Amino acid sequence: MSAPGRVVFDSDDLERTEAFLSSSYAPMRIGSGSRDAGAHITRVASDTVSADKLDLHFDMSYDVDPLGRICLCDIEAGTIEDHQVAGWAEPADFAPGDLFSFAPPDRPYSGRICRARYTITMLDPDLLTRVAGTQQPVRLLDHKPISPAGAQHLRAATTYLRDQVLAAPDIAEHPLLASTASQHLAAAVLAAFPTTALDERAGTDLDAHPQALRRAIAYLEANPDRDLTATELAQAAGVSARAVQLAFRRHLDTTPMAYLRRVRLDHARAELRAAAPGSTTVTQVAARWGYTRPSAFTAHYRAAYGELPSQALQGDA
């Protein structure tokens, strides 16, 4: 995965474009019969995910080595034709409005891009496994989403991650923001595509007992500022991820992540109340506890405490 940050690439030189694409994705060979090989690419990235916008003003063939990552493509204009993945019986064509996975992380692929404008979102496959809370690595079982609604939800999660989180100039100062948004993207992928996670139903209702719930709560409350996952929480509770979900739902009528959000809100409230006048802002405190949008933080805060966060900051609570 490329280093965190923002990259802008412009070129009409095919060799330079091939070198950039090879360094950004995986070793590849590209070709074109056009003299105008204009390419404009922007990338924003964290340690585990990257989001690119590509605008190719020419027809380009591609032959790509395995990426080692899940690669999602969303076409806005133009087409991708004769897309062939190792192991597929037939090639596929994609047009504007299509959202799909280019290839399994361990397989090469080839095809042709025809004057297309599209986005590429890549994520570490381990992120899916961590969010799913499974023992075995999660794999996508098809390259297309299950439904238009699932595709739209995934598109919204991708856009939010790219434009609101990774593109923020100070994102490096708020790792919790990036990790939370990345987990949200992984959850959207799991919901949109058929995966092997559905086949692994580890744990039983008997595991969802109060002792497991208490261990999970203790772990959440001791680590509210960490990038917690379902797998890590299950290990702390000594049961499966599914059992942890069942325990929170059965005994508290909530989810582990909703409980964690309330714990983080409690810490944010304490920080606001303890702040010296002029030393911080509501927006800064919200960002430290995983909120990119101050409006969402304010809404959750008011629902939890019946006051505005600005009141706590001003000592008016």
Side-chain angles (χ1 to χ4, degrees):
M1 184 63 67
S2 62
R6 178 182 176 87
V7 176
V8 178
F9 175 84
D10 274 296
S11 179
D12 56 5
D13 183 292
L14 198 63
E15 290 185 3
R16 285 191 62 223
T17 300
E18 180 180 80
F20 178 82
L21 294 176
S22 293
S23 65
S24 299
Y25 302 103
M28 69 177 68
R29 282 67 56 196
I30 66 174
S32 175
S34 173
R35 292 184 178 180
D36 177 15
H40 177 74
I41 304 169
T42 61
R43 156 169 289 203
V44 287
S46 70
D47 290 330
T48 56
V49 298
S50 64
D52 302 353
K53 290 183 177 181
L54 300 94
D55 192 357
L56 304 184
H57 304 156
F58 61 103
D59 292 354
M60 182 189 85
S61 63
Y62 56 87
D63 188 355
V64 187
D65 290 353
L67 292 169
R69 287 159 281 174
I70 294 170
C71 181
L72 308 176
C73 179
D74 191 5
I75 303 179
E76 298 178 13
T79 59
I80 295 179
E81 301 175 359
D82 297 325
H83 182 74
Q84 178 70 55
V85 177
W88 282 14
E90 299 287 342
D93 296 334
F94 303 101
D98 286 338
L99 172 61
F100 63 97
S101 171
F102 256 118
D106 59 348
R107 297 187 192 179
Y109 59 93
S110 60
R112 187 172 69 256
I113 297 172
C114 302
R115 296 181 178 271
R117 185 172 66 252
Y118 57 103
T119 63
I120 291 287
T121 305
M122 295 194 297
L123 61 155
D124 190 327
D126 289 344
L127 185 59
L128 286 190
T129 305
R130 292 174 60 205
V131 171
T134 58
Q135 300 298 317
Q136 299 299 321
V138 173
R139 293 182 293 104
L140 303 188
L141 296 175
D142 196 355
H143 65 283
K144 292 184 178 180
I146 296 172
S147 67
Q152 190 57 35
H153 178 68
L154 176 56
R155 186 174 284 117
T158 300
T159 301
Y160 172 74
L161 175 72
R162 182 186 67 235
D163 297 343
Q164 302 298 321
V165 179
L166 296 181
D170 60 346
I171 188 59
E173 301 174 15
H174 304 294
L176 193 58
L177 284 179
S179 65
T180 301
S182 298
Q183 288 188 43
H184 177 64
L185 172 66
V189 172
L190 291 167
F193 288 91
T195 73
T196 56
L198 297 178
D199 296 332
E200 188 173 329
R201 306 300 294 176
T204 67
D205 289 0
L206 295 177
D207 294 323
H209 46 68
Q211 294 90 339
L213 178 65
R214 284 196 291 270
R215 290 194 292 268
I217 287 175
Y219 194 76
L220 288 177
E221 293 181 343
N223 300 279
D225 57 340
R226 291 191 52 207
D227 177 15
L228 299 178
T229 65
T231 300
E232 188 176 353
L233 187 59
Q235 291 173 346
V239 296
S240 71
R242 178 171 178 263
V244 172
Q245 292 279 349
L246 286 171
F248 272 87
R249 181 63 69 188
R250 176 181 297 169
H251 301 293
L252 297 179
D253 193 26
T254 189
T255 67
M257 292 303 102
Y259 190 94
L260 177 59
R261 185 178 71 189
R262 179 55 188 260
V263 172
R264 287 172 174 168
L265 279 174
D266 286 344
H267 280 269
R269 190 187 197 199
E271 186 175 334
L272 289 169
R273 287 182 161 183
S279 63
T280 191
T281 67
V282 170
T283 298
Q284 290 171 335
V285 172
R288 278 194 287 273
W289 292 102
Y291 284 87
T292 25
R293 293 178 296 169
S295 59
F297 175 72
T298 298
H300 290 163
Y301 190 99
R302 188 170 190 173
Y305 309 115
E307 65 184 30
L308 295 174
S310 57
Q311 292 177 275
L313 184 61
Q314 297 165 5
D316 295 337

